[in-house]
Amino acid sequence: MMHNRADYRLYLVTDRHCLQQQTLEQAVEQAILGGVTLVQLREKAIANKEFYERALRIKAICHRYNVPLLINDRVDIALAVEADGVHIGQSDLPCGVVRQILGKDKIIGVSARTAQQAIQAQADGADYLGVGAMFATSTKQDAQTVTIASLTQIRQAVTIPIVAIGGINHSTLPALQQALQAAETSIDGVAVVSAILGQKDVKLASEQLKEMIKIK
């Protein structure tokens, strides 16, 4: 998979605590069938071996549908399962170091809240930015919100794709898109967690969100 052609439009971040009844594997497959274009496996409190085994299973599902799999934070797990890349935060290993470890063909995403962080990430070889939280979110209690003005500054500062994250769901997505349109700012995708994985019908939730996204 060529990382520079990744489709960021509907970006799923996993959180197994959101699930209603399905296994994470079942939910990821349903989400992909509903239109998810990229999957990030996020596991915070899990043993290394379990994370590795789950990552292998999720990768098999993603690759069956030709959807890239990124691992959140854990460069070692990404290497071990030969994932398509990683997503790292500001307190993780520096992007330049991760690029040296993973090589030029893997996708590296970096969380950014300011134009300065965005410029640094692009200079260090990031493929895309995760910017947020756009709205208050229950899946990340410590996330501070980013204003449309800050997002606009980030968009003007870099040329790499931007994925908006944080509290994005069926009711907040239209408001986000209206605000972006008013600010004449474009993004390349939205990242969602509970708006897909917390729903009874994961496939339908994905289809509805995909339908709502106004990104070329």
Side-chain angles (χ1 to χ4, degrees):
M1 293 187 192
M2 289 298 291
H3 66 273
N4 56 0
R5 293 206 204 103
D7 182 346
Y8 298 101
R9 272 177 302 168
L10 185 53
Y11 181 133
L12 177 67
V13 181
T14 71
D15 182 347
R16 61 197 153 90
H17 303 294
C18 289
L19 297 171
Q20 298 232 359
Q21 286 163 334
Q22 296 172 297
T23 65
L24 185 61
E25 290 79 4
Q26 289 169 332
V28 166
E29 183 162 24
Q30 287 300 302
I32 290 171
L33 290 170
V36 159
T37 56
L38 193 146
V39 174
Q40 180 196 132
L41 180 60
R42 183 165 76 188
E43 292 285 359
K44 292 295 185 186
I46 188 172
N48 288 341
K49 186 164 182 277
E50 196 184 340
F51 195 167
Y52 167 73
E53 289 169 350
R54 173 163 287 147
L56 281 176
R57 294 195 298 271
I58 298 290
K59 179 189 155 186
I61 293 163
C62 289
H63 284 200
R64 190 180 313 148
Y65 299 100
N66 207 29
V67 168
L69 171 68
L70 308 183
I71 304 294
N72 183 62
D73 294 348
R74 296 290 300 273
V75 179
D76 56 338
I77 299 287
L79 274 172
V81 302
E82 296 183 10
D84 298 289
V86 294
H87 185 88
I88 51 176
Q90 290 294 321
S91 59
D92 295 316
L93 283 174
C95 179
V97 174
V98 175
R99 177 60 74 201
Q100 286 179 327
I101 294 168
L102 292 184
K104 64 182 192 315
D105 293 329
K106 298 293 185 182
I107 302 170
I108 301 177
V110 176
S111 297
R113 296 178 42 77
T114 66
Q116 191 178 2
Q117 289 175 350
I119 291 164
Q120 186 65 55
Q122 179 169 282
D124 288 343
D127 291 293
Y128 75 93
L129 300 171
V131 177
M134 299 314 302
F135 303 93
T137 170
S138 59
T139 57
K140 210 167 185 192
Q141 305 285 1
D142 58 345
Q144 294 174 290
T145 55
V146 169
T147 63
I148 293 294
S150 294
L151 180 56
T152 301
Q153 288 176 338
I154 291 170
R155 175 71 288 168
Q156 289 167 349
V158 296
T159 56
I160 56 177
I162 289 175
V163 177
I165 187 168
I168 297 171
N169 56 42
H170 298 76
S171 57
T172 59
L173 178 57
L176 174 65
Q177 294 190 138
Q178 282 172 356
L180 288 168
Q181 195 174 1
E184 296 183 352
T185 298
S186 65
I187 57 172
D188 300 271
V190 292
V192 295
V193 188
S194 56
I196 289 179
L197 294 183
Q199 308 309 305
K200 274 202 168 67
D201 190 332
V202 168
K203 181 167 178 271
L204 179 63
S206 303
E207 286 170 349
Q208 290 172 339
L209 278 170
K210 188 77 173 282
E211 190 74 22
M212 292 167 73
I213 294 170
K214 297 180 175 73
I215 294 167
K216 298 293 176 278

